[in-house]
Amino acid sequence: MSDGTPPIPGPAGPREGLVAGGAHGPGRLRALTAIALDALESAAPARGGPLPSGGPEAVALSTLARCAPVLPEEGVGPEAALGDVVRAVAEGAADPADPACVAHLHCPPLAVAVAADLAGAALNPSMDSWDQAPAAGVIEELTTAALARLIHPTAPAPDALITSGGTESNLVALLLARERAAPGTLRVVTGANAHHSVHRAAWMLGLPAPVVVACHDGRIDPAALDDALADLAGAPLLVVATAGTTDEGRIDPLPEIARVAERHAARLHVDAAYGGPLLFSERLAPLLAGLEHAASVTFDLHKLGWQPVAAGVLAVADTGMLAPLSLRADYLNADDDTEAGLPDLLGRSIRTTRRPDALKMAVTFRALGRRGLGELVEHCVRTAHEFGRAVDARPGLRRRPGDIGISTVLFRPTVADALPDEAGDAVVAAVRRTLLAEGSAVLGRARAEDGDGRRRLWLKATLLHPDAAAADLLPLLDLVTAAADRAATEAGADGVVTGADVDRAGPEARADGVVTGADVDRAVSEVEADRAGPEVEADRVVTTGVDADRSGPAAPGAEDTDAPAAERLSP
């Protein structure tokens, strides 16, 4: 041994009991898991809500107090390190299991999926060669085959890949379309409602910027698409539609889009990262009519699939589309090994080393079955409609006109409507930030058309909790109206909103060019009067015909499905 080689630690040194696998690893893992679970269990009451209070600076300070330095000269030991870091992250978490955490497509993962993910992490198969993942490769094959058949039920040879999520799925879809278009230059045509990853993928692949067509009510206008494709005649074309937009949960008119694409010899990709799991429900699957015409489909299970991140899928109608991903690396898939019968996993991804994400999916699928998964999807959709009716029943709040998009509800305080557009939007934004700073609610924000066609800022609630009910969400409405009162009062405290603000607000502003503090006060008083009245009863929110009429038509199955047994959670 050279003088520069450190000595091998003895049996009592840092190497003892290190690994999670093998014959003795699970026992060590069991003890450490108990520490992590204890930290999780004690952190939630300490946090006291869906988000820590105090904002970014307070969270940073409390996390530093427990976890710095991250790389000390001498380690503190696995038990102390695990307890401290897990406790800090859990106390400072945005907890999607809290009913008031509804800002994003951020689901609370199912316990069975998390347990499966733990097993996968302990075994640590790398899904790029058979000799690193013998059984895990079989599980992935079974899982992708089931999902491919779900998404393309009539295709002769459908297939699917496991990805890290919608962004990677969209990237690979554009990559495959680009390779089929060669030697021509692929032109991508998509709606103004498309996810930003479509534009980023085109940039990363060296393609021209996508042609963006107009949307109506958050959905691609087929006539505008027809015109755009006609203008690009002669070029290889890919149309990207969306089934479940991030901001509004809107589903593009897929049958009409498929017909337009076919007329122009364009291929169709559908980003169904949000809406795809509607296919689990026989009652809701018709909302995705036309999806079967897509050559490729993005599908996420860390949204309406309740998987820990990451759990993405790209499905293709024909497995031959995946040929461009084929790659030879002698140490992973040598020709003679493949000829001898060792499965080739390298061409199943644009990544090399990757986690066994199919394992948690497979466990969840077997545990719940398609019917069980469908019931959970239906529950979320139904809860969104009930929550929308609860918003409609509060005069201090106003829901965005039109149908609810999958499980996304957009709404805003009516006090914001008493102000010019810019000032009203500022109130909406202030409400969201106030609730975040207090740690009392995690709401999203979205700009979308109002009933008059003008784009306004809305609060966004995306309901993905598989057993939270509308009754659990009613306190959220109280939080919003109280925060809106304060924000609107501050906005009108100086008594006058200038004529320039009114000009920007357009024809709905007061004819005299001035909105006074008294106008704001009247709006606030109306909300306070509403709050003084009787509370909306949970059963009324669900069943009254007046509320149902006010909410507009429901999605198929939204009113007549049987909910799974729900545990009432307190926000």
Side-chain angles (χ1 to χ4, degrees), residues 275-291:
L278 294 172
L279 292 175
F280 289 126
S281 164
E282 290 185 3
R283 295 176 177 178
L284 297 176
L287 292 174
L288 297 180
L291 189 69

Side-chain angles (χ1 to χ4, degrees), residues 14 62 87-88 110 113 147 173 182 215 337 340 367 436 478 551:
S62 63
R87 179 67 184 259
L110 299 177
L147 288 167
C215 290
D337 278 348
L436 289 177
D478 293 329
S551 70

